[in-house]
Amino acid sequence: MAQSWRSSLYPEHWTPGYKDAQGSFLHDFSYAGYWRGEKEIPSTPPGSVYNVVTQYGADAGGNADSTAAIQNAINAAGAAGGGVVYLPAGTYRVRPQGTSSSALWIKTNNVVLRGAGKTATFLYNDAPNMREKSVIRVAPDRSADWLTPVSAPTPIRGDVNPLATVIPVGSVSGYAANDFIVLHADATDGFIAEHGMSGKWNAATVKGPAFCRKITAIDAAANTLTVDIPIRYPLKTRDKARIYKTGEMLSEVGIEQLSIGMKQHPGSSWGDLDYKKPGTAAYDVHASKAIGFSNVKNGWIDRVDSFKPSSNASDVHLLSHGIVLYQSRTVTVQNTHMQKPQYRGEGGNGYLYLMQGEDNLVRHAAATLGRHSFTFQYMWTSGNVIYDSTSNKPRLATDFHMYLSMANLLDNMTMNGDFIEAVYRPYGTVEHGWTTSQSVVWNTNGVAYAPGQSAIVKSRQFGRGYVIGTRGAAGKVEYEVPSADRSAPQDVVEGVGMGADLTPQSLYMDQKRIRNGGATVVTYAPIPGRVEAEQYSAMSGIQTENAKDAGGGLNVGWIEAGDWMDYAVNVAAAGTYKVELRVASQADTGSLQLRIGDTAVSTIAVPNTGGWQEWQTVSGEATLGAGRNTLRVYAAGAGFNLNWLQFTEQQPANEQPPAQQPPAQQPVTQQPPANLLKNPGFETGNLEGWTEWHGASGLACKADADKPRTGGYKLTHWLAGAYQQLTSQSLAVPNGVYTVSVWARSGGGQKALHLYAKNYGAAEVQAVIGSQPVADYAKYAIDNVRVTNGRIEIGVWSDANAGNWAAFDDFELIRY
């Protein structure tokens, strides 16, 4: 292994405020996330449970509109002082009602909207005219705008520099410990000139820097206030620096364990500027959101994905934005995947994660095929951290977008067909200009450059910026400052191509450790969910390396018998879980045990996959108790690499809700519905249970072991010449509402490729996979299939050109 190294700005005994001889320094980003990263998201929030189906009449079959029923449950929880609004497994149809700006609105503290899992609970917004509206809005019902005082402003009586927490003020009268305040300075002519933006910026648009903080101490004799998080940028008396109170933000609110999809707009006119033109489809969907948080503190979004509704003819999940955090602070977004907006035009559309607040944390997130995957905007956007997250092939870069969003951190990003851009942007009616200063890009993993690009990071920030460590196949950095460029001095860049040996691997996690008094910071991985192999809390005998698997990142290797890794996990509910392991090996000696304490809860053999970077998914089962624990991955047999572990709930235990809940408000524990198909993953190694039909060119389907999604086998359609192939099952089933799904990938090029359901008492319905390549397995589903004649036929159909191929695995037919 290569020798480890450290940044010159982050020595071994770094403390906040450390600067080099040139005055360069790294901000302390450890305050990001729920309760400044000091508390875990609550697994059992206080209050009763409000079941939207059994208590409020919501339709989990997705046929009737459930907006009012779910909103009534949200309102009831809010009126009671908080609680969990529970959406059992199923599909719920919602849309904004009347002139409302959202389908659902959480507007009181302590309300949590919780599904049964992001592969079980689906929130389907069936209104395509969503201009500037949200599916879920989380915001107080009275203004809490950070730039609108509700108290007379108090002047700051001296310039305040970055890193300060003690603020000298004209008077402490009217303020108390635990008050939230905003520290604000105007974008005066002097401020604008200082940034070289005279004639381009104006005070009305760019506003000036603002920081939302909590008072932790008051010194009446000295007239100073101590705040909970350091200031990120200078606040000057020249710019009328001041403090004031604002309206009360929302707190302790969350959305978790569900997926959100939006009905595709059927209209036309999707040009970049068509969002300005009434009557166009682009105008109708402009700036719509799956989730919008506004003026929230200490909230969360956990295990929430987007999905493709079966009604959508194209592979569309959303209309425009995914998750937007506006004027919100200390919010955590984790274990999420937003993807495939229909509109990616100008004016702010197709942004999958939009940061417009402070000290928020996005971790273990993925963004796919947006306009921008991750974006920062405005002078009140600082201290945010995006950690261990992945961007897949957006139209434009992950970027700092406009108006000096200072001092943010991108930490351990995986960039697949994307790059990080922190440069001057000469766009906009009021020019975007300098987009950031003092931001840090730490240990970036470049899987592939974006088309036409030769750098994974481009950084020319105002003042100083920092790029520390890159790794992977695409690791170059563009940062040189041309002689006429106003971004001089040049940003600090270290360790290009050397990120795999950077110490520490994560700046955010290490700064949390330091602020925690040197103790190791324990982050509990949620189960159900994915655990990355390299994110162990302790280990014996193993090493990490760059993974050549989909998504890149690191894998664990050099595993010998008796080696182990420990993981801190938080199991949502006791029960039996499906365990999927992403493994690679060129031996057949591998065996892995999962242990809780001294008890082995699962043993899974690792096959010879054909090489140390030839990845396959194998599966087994494990019975786990609820709550926090240490899960040990123990090598019972040597010779394999491990990329990740995925846990999916199969048989939740019937646990009783808290005793204080009235019986009428207790959620009904639901067992996952059974898959009615025979041999759904082809693990017999053949087509047992299936029927095939092929055209004149000959048989073009088989069960084979070439890169299945799970288990050892999958179904493949392929022939050297043009072909037509159908593979299907016809079953007798009880009348009712069903979901049909399959995981598929394809080389593309087919005339037709789809999943279908027919002969169930109504017209054939399809989930189109289409003619475009699908590089990684994606799920295609047909929801709300109502069987009325006691039978159903499901299958996949290929009408293909010579050499076209498609792979299918894990079919499901489930009655709800």
Side-chain angles (χ1 to χ4, degrees), residues 685-729:
N686 54 39
L687 299 181
E688 180 181 336
W690 294 86
T691 299
E692 72 82 19
W693 176 92
H694 57 265
S697 298
L699 179 68
C701 76
K702 64 177 180 178
D704 60 34
D706 181 23
K707 298 181 180 178
R709 176 179 176 268
T710 61
Y713 294 91
K714 71 172 194 321
L715 172 69
T716 297
H717 284 188
W718 177 86
L719 203 64
Y723 65 91
Q724 292 181 317
Q725 180 66 54
L726 181 148
T727 311
S728 65
Q729 282 195 35

Side-chain angles (χ1 to χ4, degrees), residues 54 57 75 82 99 135 141 214 237 241 295 340 342 442 449 453 472 481 496 545 557 647 777 796 811:
T54 60
N75 294 344
T99 60
V135 180
D141 59 358
K214 184 172 78 170
T237 57
N295 304 118
K340 300 176 182 176
Q342 188 173 11
W442 187 275
Y449 293 120
Q453 302 295 328
V481 176
V496 175
E545 62 180 340
F647 293 84
Y777 279 103
V796 284
F811 284 81

Side-chain angles (χ1 to χ4, degrees), residues 20 71 279 284 359 383 406 420 464 493 530 572 579 696 728:
D20 69 5
Q71 189 63 56
D284 289 344
D359 300 286
M406 70 290 289
I420 298 167
R464 281 289 173 91
V493 176
R530 178 171 293 190
V579 185
S728 65

Side-chain angles (χ1 to χ4, degrees), residues 376-459:
F376 301 82
Q377 297 179 343
Y378 305 130
M379 288 188 193
W380 56 80
T381 299
S382 64
N384 298 287
V385 174
I386 302 179
Y387 166 62
D388 189 27
S389 294
T390 300
S391 171
N392 295 304
K393 300 178 180 179
R395 179 179 174 186
L396 299 173
T398 284
D399 72 344
F400 297 90
H401 199 75
M402 61 200 301
Y403 308 152
L404 203 69
S405 303
M406 70 290 289
N408 295 281
L409 171 65
L410 292 138
D411 187 339
N412 274 266
M413 297 293 292
T414 294
M415 311 303 287
N416 177 24
D418 188 12
F419 63 100
I420 298 167
E421 189 171 55
V423 301
Y424 188 98
R425 300 187 78 244
Y427 311 111
T429 305
V430 175
E431 190 160 302
H432 294 173
W434 297 113
T435 59
T436 191
S437 177
Q438 295 292 336
S439 286
V440 180
V441 183
W442 187 275
N443 202 5
T444 307
N445 175 33
V447 175
Y449 293 120
Q453 302 295 328
S454 58
I456 208 69
V457 181
K458 295 184 179 181
S459 186

Side-chain angles (χ1 to χ4, degrees), residues 317-397:
H317 289 209
L318 306 170
L319 294 177
S320 182
H321 295 320
I323 294 172
V324 179
L325 303 180
Y326 177 78
Q327 288 190 0
S328 296
R329 59 157 267 166
T330 56
V331 169
T332 290
V333 178
Q334 63 183 17
N335 309 305
T336 58
H337 190 177
M338 295 287 114
Q339 56 180 315
K340 300 176 182 176
Q342 188 173 11
Y343 187 44
R344 304 190 299 169
E346 292 186 18
N349 282 286
Y351 298 3
L352 294 177
Y353 295 85
L354 184 52
M355 311 297 287
Q356 298 175 332
E358 294 176 350
D359 300 286
N360 300 305
L361 171 65
V362 176
R363 64 181 174 188
H364 313 321
T368 298
L369 295 176
R371 180 178 177 90
H372 298 279
S373 290
F374 302 90
T375 290
F376 301 82
Q377 297 179 343
Y378 305 130
M379 288 188 193
W380 56 80
T381 299
S382 64
N384 298 287
V385 174
I386 302 179
Y387 166 62
D388 189 27
S389 294
T390 300
S391 171
N392 295 304
K393 300 178 180 179
R395 179 179 174 186
L396 299 173

Side-chain angles (χ1 to χ4, degrees), residues 118 528-531 578-582 644-648:
K118 58 187 182 180
R530 178 171 293 190
V531 178
K578 180 181 181 180
V579 185
E580 296 172 279
L581 308 174
R582 192 66 170 169
W644 46 255
L645 306 88
Q646 180 81 31
F647 293 84
T648 304

